[in-house]
Amino acid sequence: MKKVTFFLPLLMLFGFLLTACETNEPKVPDSVRQSIKGNYSGQVNFISSGNNRDTLRTAALASVNDKEIVIDRVPVAPMIDTIFGSGTASTAGINTLPMKIKYTMYGANQAYFPMQFEIEDFNFTVNYGGAVHNVVVAFEKPAFDNMVFYFPGKGQIELEARTARIALDGDDIQMLGNKIKPNRRFSFRFPAIFKK
């Protein structure tokens, strides 16, 4: 009898844990996971925030596999010119950079599927003022208003990436035209829409 009273609470605990681990989240159908793969074309917008708001649109291609989205060219010239001064990107020959995005797709409904993502940092060098400078651009972690969405019925991917940190030679920067202004914050967004 003692064995039964000892094992019964353990059995109940095990059953509770199994029930707690179950999820009512909708699953992503395998057909949707397969349909997202392929080649896309579209445009990437560059939007700078601050006193001088600007938008630039660039045509781009993207390829998608089951884990990653690779965009062939994202316009970074305005970002470089904002940091170092007008014309620097052209002189350095860096107008666009490829963007790699790792994603995880979640079930939502049949119209769209949200995708949590992680963007590889931009890491590049710029020759300026007789010196070589290393620039690293990190991106924000996904939130509700900057996620990736896949619309299987349209064969369309929509995303928005935002810069979280820009470092110049290892130090965080908040500058405009190469004049450091610690209290002035600027940021950049990269909204994009791609269709198969």
Side-chain angles (χ1 to χ4, degrees):
M1 188 67 178
K2 285 184 179 179
K3 285 184 179 179
V4 172
T5 54
F6 176 73
F7 284 112
L8 187 60
L10 284 177
L11 188 61
M12 289 175 67
L13 177 63
F14 182 70
F16 172 77
L17 289 174
L18 280 178
T19 306
C21 290
E22 285 182 12
T23 176
N24 291 325
E25 291 290 322
K27 305 266 189 220
V28 179
D30 191 54
S31 59
V32 172
R33 292 189 186 280
Q34 293 302 318
S35 72
I36 193 173
K37 298 177 188 177
N39 296 317
Y40 293 75
S41 61
Q43 66 179 23
V44 178
N45 299 339
F46 172 94
I47 300 173
S48 59
S49 310
N51 291 340
N52 300 318
R53 185 180 170 88
D54 193 18
T55 302
L56 175 72
R57 291 175 177 81
T58 299
L61 301 174
S63 61
V64 181
N65 60 33
D66 57 353
K67 294 180 182 175
E68 191 175 62
I69 301 169
V70 179
I71 301 172
D72 72 336
R73 46 195 211 135
V74 173
V76 294
M79 179 192 300
I80 294 168
D81 287 351
T82 300
I83 296 168
F84 293 100
S86 183
T88 307
S90 226
T91 304
I94 307 173
N95 293 309
T96 63
L97 288 173
M99 179 181 273
K100 291 187 178 180
I101 305 167
K102 291 181 181 175
Y103 74 87
T104 304
M105 196 185 309
Y106 294 94
N109 59 41
Q110 296 305 310
Y112 68 89
F113 292 83
M115 298 153 64
Q116 194 170 20
F117 67 90
E118 182 180 333
I119 301 177
E120 192 173 278
D121 294 351
F122 286 147
N123 192 332
F124 56 94
T125 57
V126 175
N127 290 306
Y128 180 79
V132 177
H133 299 280
N134 180 246
V135 180
V136 177
V137 179
F139 294 89
E140 286 183 1
K141 299 295 180 193
F144 177 76
D145 58 347
N146 72 329
M147 286 188 73
V148 181
F149 291 94
Y150 175 52
F151 297 82
K154 300 178 182 178
Q156 183 169 303
I157 294 173
E158 297 180 11
L159 69 91
E160 181 172 307
R162 298 178 188 165
T163 56
R165 176 179 180 261
I166 301 173
L168 177 64
D169 298 328
D171 294 322
D172 278 11
I173 59 167
Q174 290 185 5
M175 56 172 35
L176 187 67
N178 208 32
K179 294 176 183 175
I180 295 175
K181 299 183 179 182
N183 297 321
R184 187 196 184 306
R185 176 166 170 73
F186 67 89
S187 62
F188 303 95
R189 294 190 296 133
F190 300 102
I193 296 176
F194 290 99
K195 291 193 83 169
K196 272 192 173 182

